[in-house]
Amino acid sequence: GENVEQHPSTLSVQEGDSAVIKCTYSDSASNYFPWYKQELGKGPQLIIDIRSNVGEKKDQRIAVTLNKTAKHFSLHITETQPEDSAVYFCAAKLSGGGADGLTFGKGTHLIIQP
Amino acid sequence: NAGVTQTPKFQVLKTGQSMTLQCAQDMNHNSMYWYRQDPGMGLRLIYYSASEGTTDKGEVPNGYNVSRLNKREFSLRLESAAPSQTSVYFCASSDYDRDGGYTFGSGTRLTVV
């Protein structure tokens, strides 16, 4: 099955700086890569996703890049703000993997220092 | 636009007691999931239901049972709670046929003493 590794487990950045979270996946058949943000006491919320036919996707201060050859994808947050503090999860889904095909990384706790 | 609704939000059980966690979605999604979240372990799949009438085991099914009551509702039952089942439980739904992301509920924080 698919295996997703996520780094770092904790990331502390100064407000206004950029943050980058990286994930690698094992199965080249994976074709869908979502990112989730989980605020304290809440459920994970989808913030951005990318499919294997696209190399980069942006949504305001958030961007995701995908390198299919190296089998890794990254989340980039620019001009970080206090409300960006949260736990972020990456995930990968196997093409045709069925209903259980989404595999999650173990999460990154992003801390924005004022 | 409720999305995925979980009840209860908090629960304390004594070892050996039973309880059912309820989940309902109003997005007409085919697939529903139960995850548990423990510190440092990420999200681990307990059971899932690809469509109404079907259920399958995930990564950590021992000690749990599920029921897909209809397309909207998917419940998780602990028959005899153990301290190792202390966790935060999340229900999610998706329309996996279209490779969509998951929508999560707000979670149930369960403590077994």
Side-chain angles (χ1 to χ4, degrees):
Chain A
E2 177 63 278
N3 182 50
V4 176
E5 298 283 342
Q6 183 171 349
H7 300 281
S9 57
T10 303
L11 177 61
S12 181
V13 301
Q14 290 294 124
E15 182 178 350
D17 288 350
S18 295
V20 180
I21 301 170
K22 299 181 179 181
C23 289
T24 60
Y25 60 99
S26 60
D27 197 320
S28 57
S30 289
N31 65 348
Y32 174 64
F33 307 92
W35 285 89
Y36 291 84
K37 176 183 181 182
Q38 185 179 23
E39 297 177 333
L40 194 62
K42 298 184 178 180
Q45 182 177 13
L46 180 68
I47 55 171
I48 194 167
D49 56 13
I50 192 168
R51 301 182 190 279
S52 59
N53 59 344
V54 175
E56 183 176 2
K57 184 177 179 180
K58 287 184 178 180
D59 183 3
Q60 299 182 337
R61 296 187 296 108
I62 293 173
V64 57
T65 59
L66 172 64
N67 183 325
K68 288 189 295 182
T69 303
K71 289 189 284 188
H72 68 70
F73 56 112
S74 300
L75 178 71
H76 303 253
I77 305 174
T78 59
E79 300 173 11
T80 53
Q81 300 171 3
E83 55 264 36
D84 295 329
S85 292
V87 177
Y88 292 80
F89 292 95
C90 64
K93 185 175 184 295
L94 283 168
S95 174
D100 68 330
L102 195 60
T103 302
F104 287 89
K106 288 189 167 21
T108 296
H109 185 193
L110 177 62
I111 301 166
I112 307 301
Q113 303 279 6
Chain B
N1 55 341
V4 177
T5 303
Q6 288 183 239
T7 56
K9 293 190 182 303
F10 301 94
Q11 184 72 48
V12 179
L13 288 179
K14 293 182 179 179
T15 298
Q17 286 185 319
S18 62
M19 79 161 295
T20 300
L21 281 65
Q22 306 286 355
C23 175
Q25 54 95 4
D26 61 2
M27 296 168 288
N28 202 36
H29 284 165
N30 291 316
S31 302
M32 298 186 72
Y33 311 84
W34 277 104
Y35 285 87
R36 62 177 289 173
Q37 185 175 37
D38 303 291
M41 302 294 288
L43 293 158
R44 292 186 292 170
L45 183 64
I46 304 171
Y47 270 94
Y48 68 99
S49 170
S51 60
E52 186 178 355
T54 69
T55 61
D56 285 286
K57 295 178 180 180
E59 180 185 357
V60 289
N62 291 345
Y64 306 95
N65 285 300
V66 291
S67 296
R68 184 74 182 267
L69 304 170
N70 47 56
K71 191 170 186 179
R72 291 187 63 250
E73 299 173 287
F74 188 39
S75 63
L76 178 72
R77 182 161 179 83
L78 287 71
E79 290 291 352
S80 179
S84 60
Q85 294 178 304
T86 293
S87 188
V88 181
Y89 292 85
F90 289 101
C91 177
S93 69
S94 78
D95 198 359
Y96 79 90
D97 288 345
R98 292 191 285 175
D99 270 345
Y102 290 9
T103 300
F104 284 86
S106 57
T108 295
R109 184 173 294 275
L110 175 67
T111 302
V112 183
V113 297

